[in-house]
Amino acid sequence: MLFRLFACLAVASLTGLNSSQAQLVVQQVPFQSAGNSYYDATGLTWGVNGPGFFANFNGNGAVAPFGNFDPNAGLRTGVGFRNGPWSGHLGLTLNQGSSRSNQSTTASLTTTDGYPGSITSQTVRPFVTGVVPIVGGAPVGFIQDIPPVTSTGQQNLASVAQQQLAEVQQRQQANHDARQKTAYQSFQRGLKAEQDGNLRMARANYQNALRVAEGELRVEILKRVQANNW
């Protein structure tokens, strides 16, 4: 009797251990992105001074808006001469650089066997930008029961879609203008600080402006940064 009791307990324990084992399921969604940019810039400067006469040419070239342009990199060299009342100089700048990036992101989800799991990436658009009807494959009677879309209805749909699109574009333009205004204000504060001799404050304002500045404003900021060798 005692032997049977031990045998039952052993079988029950083994059965319980087997039922508690399960596999783990790992789901992964990898995402990779790579980028590469390059710039090459050269410039030539010269100047001549004489009795009642001078001429200077600053040909450093345009600032490259891509490739992570560094005004402190590259080669700057030149030569000067003097002969009596005449003097002059000749300078050369060579700058080259590239920027590469390789990013990898993997979302991972671990679940037990039999339990659901999901990884999602969604974009929600709370407005309608257009209506495209799809007709085909329906019975003839069903098609006849649908009232035809009049030209007035089509015009109303097109008008609503255009109005919604215009509102979105206005909001985007307003946000863009606000960012550029902030960058311009930071640039002006940097110019004032530079004129007052506070180069530390000027550099901080230029860096803040560069984060969002675009177009000609960005080029002007980079010129000031290059002029101060920052």
Side-chain angles (χ1 to χ4, degrees), residues 79-100:
V79 62
F81 68 90
R82 178 179 295 275
N83 186 6
W86 294 90
S87 64
H89 67 274
L90 178 65
L92 179 65
T93 60
L94 300 173
N95 203 330
Q96 186 181 81
S98 64
S99 176
R100 296 181 181 180

Side-chain angles (χ1 to χ4, degrees), residues 52-196:
F53 168 79
F54 72 92
N56 293 315
F57 175 75
N58 185 7
N60 287 326
V63 178
F66 45 81
N68 290 339
F69 176 75
D70 186 1
N72 297 322
L75 173 66
R76 293 182 178 87
T77 184
V79 62
F81 68 90
R82 178 179 295 275
N83 186 6
W86 294 90
S87 64
H89 67 274
L90 178 65
L92 179 65
T93 60
L94 300 173
N95 203 330
Q96 186 181 81
S98 64
S99 176
R100 296 181 181 180
S101 63
N102 188 1
Q103 299 179 354
S104 177
T105 303
T106 302
S108 178
L109 178 65
T110 303
T111 59
T112 57
D113 188 13
Y115 283 85
S118 62
I119 300 174
T120 60
S121 177
Q122 299 179 350
T123 301
V124 180
R125 297 180 179 177
F127 52 86
V128 179
T129 58
V131 177
V132 180
I134 300 176
V135 180
V140 176
F142 178 75
I143 296 177
Q144 292 177 351
D145 294 336
I146 299 177
V149 180
T150 62
S151 59
T152 304
Q154 293 178 351
Q155 292 177 358
N156 292 335
L157 290 176
S159 177
V160 172
Q162 291 178 357
Q163 183 179 1
Q164 292 176 345
L165 181 60
E167 292 177 355
V168 173
Q169 292 176 348
Q170 289 177 357
R171 288 195 294 267
Q172 292 177 347
Q173 186 63 35
N175 293 334
H176 177 269
D177 294 342
R179 291 194 300 268
Q180 296 308 304
K181 182 179 180 180
T182 302
Y184 179 76
Q185 293 174 350
S186 298
F187 177 57
Q188 293 298 322
R189 288 194 296 268
L191 289 176
K192 186 177 184 304
E194 185 178 354
Q195 293 175 358
D196 296 340

Side-chain angles (χ1 to χ4, degrees), residues 40-53:
D40 189 355
T42 59
L44 179 66
T45 62
W46 58 268
V48 177
N49 297 320
F53 168 79

